[in-house]
Amino acid sequence: MAVRPLIAPSILSADFARLGEEIAAIAHPGETRADWVHVDVMDAHFVPNLTLGLPVVEALLKSTDVPLDCHLMIDDPDRWAIGYAEAGAYNVTVHVEAANDPVKLAKDLRAAGAKAGLSVKPGTPLEPYVETLKHYDTLLVMSVEPGFGGQSFIPDVLEKVRTARRLVDTGHLRLVVEIDGGINAETIEQAAEAGVDCFVAGSAVYGADNPGLAVAALREQAARHRAN
């Protein structure tokens, strides 16, 4: 498991007209600093919503030194994901439901300079992809249906987290276990107990009066309840 819980605020819940300022609010040194900035890329095909793409990510990379965690909820990630890695994203996550050749894609993302992440929807089982995950650096377990922010946490997905945690702890996998969807002060504790390393939080951070303090509080909560 990671040395300390990682908090990745999702800018899907930020003010898109002030993205630079919104990221700066969680980039100050110390406990209020986010570990990653989670960037949801949606194409209105793989998911019904449409958000932002590579040009915005390139602009954000110039404006912050907080690592960007790009979650691509898009069709044909085999074609498009490499551009995000080449631009300088720290972690690029694709959906196993959309990737044509996830093993090759992981190798290509790493060769382009990024960590490779694989995401599974709430209804997608983990077991068929354990061998595939040996090629990845991050497993992103979706705890809501991808496509929109502000949804309610689905607790049933925590069984996948527990499975992944066991596989990591026994050495079968070497990756960061990340969760995305409905993470807040009420749900982060059960996610931490299940074995999550990295917590994506949207409105729990950007709906707070002080986003940086919200990051610190969530990290402290996760640390108190993390799996041993």
Side-chain angles (χ1 to χ4, degrees):
M1 184 177 281
V3 174
R4 68 171 187 166
L6 305 175
I7 304 297
S10 171
I11 60 171
L12 186 62
S13 296
D15 182 348
F16 272 29
R18 301 171 50 250
L19 279 183
E21 296 170 54
E22 294 279 69
I23 293 176
I26 46 95
H28 299 294
E31 286 303 306
T32 62
R33 181 181 174 88
D35 298 283
W36 300 350
V37 172
H38 191 78
V39 181
D40 288 306
V41 176
M42 306 183 195
D43 66 355
H45 294 283
F46 181 71
V47 292
N49 201 7
L50 180 67
T51 54
L52 49 81
L54 185 55
V56 174
V57 169
E58 290 172 336
L60 295 177
L61 285 162
K62 295 174 184 176
S63 68
T64 185
D65 62 351
V66 180
L68 295 194
D69 175 31
C70 292
H71 176 196
L72 307 187
M73 288 169 271
I74 63 174
D75 281 343
D76 199 9
D78 305 70
R79 176 182 180 186
W80 301 109
I82 306 306
Y84 292 84
E86 292 174 340
Y90 174 76
N91 187 73
V92 179
T93 294
V94 300
H95 268 266
V96 71
E97 302 90 355
N100 295 312
D101 188 342
V103 172
K104 180 179 184 300
L105 183 50
K107 293 176 180 178
D108 290 345
L109 286 169
R110 286 172 161 180
K115 301 289 187 183
L118 193 67
S119 184
V120 291
K121 292 181 180 182
T124 301
L126 189 65
E127 287 75 12
Y129 304 108
V130 170
E131 290 302 309
T132 300
L133 283 166
K134 291 182 177 179
H135 301 273
Y136 279 83
D137 304 290
T138 308
L139 165 65
L140 176 58
V141 176
M142 292 300 299
S143 43
V144 299
E145 288 297 331
F148 294 93
Q151 298 183 66
S152 297
F153 182 79
I154 302 172
D156 289 353
V157 306
L158 292 179
E159 192 53 44
K160 281 188 277 191
V161 171
R162 295 184 188 98
T163 298
R165 179 82 267 143
R166 287 194 297 270
L167 290 169
V168 172
D169 290 346
T170 56
H172 286 82
L173 295 176
R174 294 174 58 88
L175 45 72
V176 171
V177 180
E178 184 176 10
I179 196 163
D180 179 9
I183 294 297
N184 53 40
E186 286 70 47
T187 58
I188 195 168
E189 295 179 359
Q190 55 186 305
E193 288 170 354
V196 171
D197 298 310
C198 182
F199 304 82
V200 177
S203 56
V205 171
Y206 282 114
D209 291 336
N210 186 316
L213 290 179
V215 167
L218 288 169
R219 186 184 293 117
E220 196 275 333
Q221 264 192 294
R224 282 191 285 111
H225 292 270
R226 70 190 307 166
N228 294 320

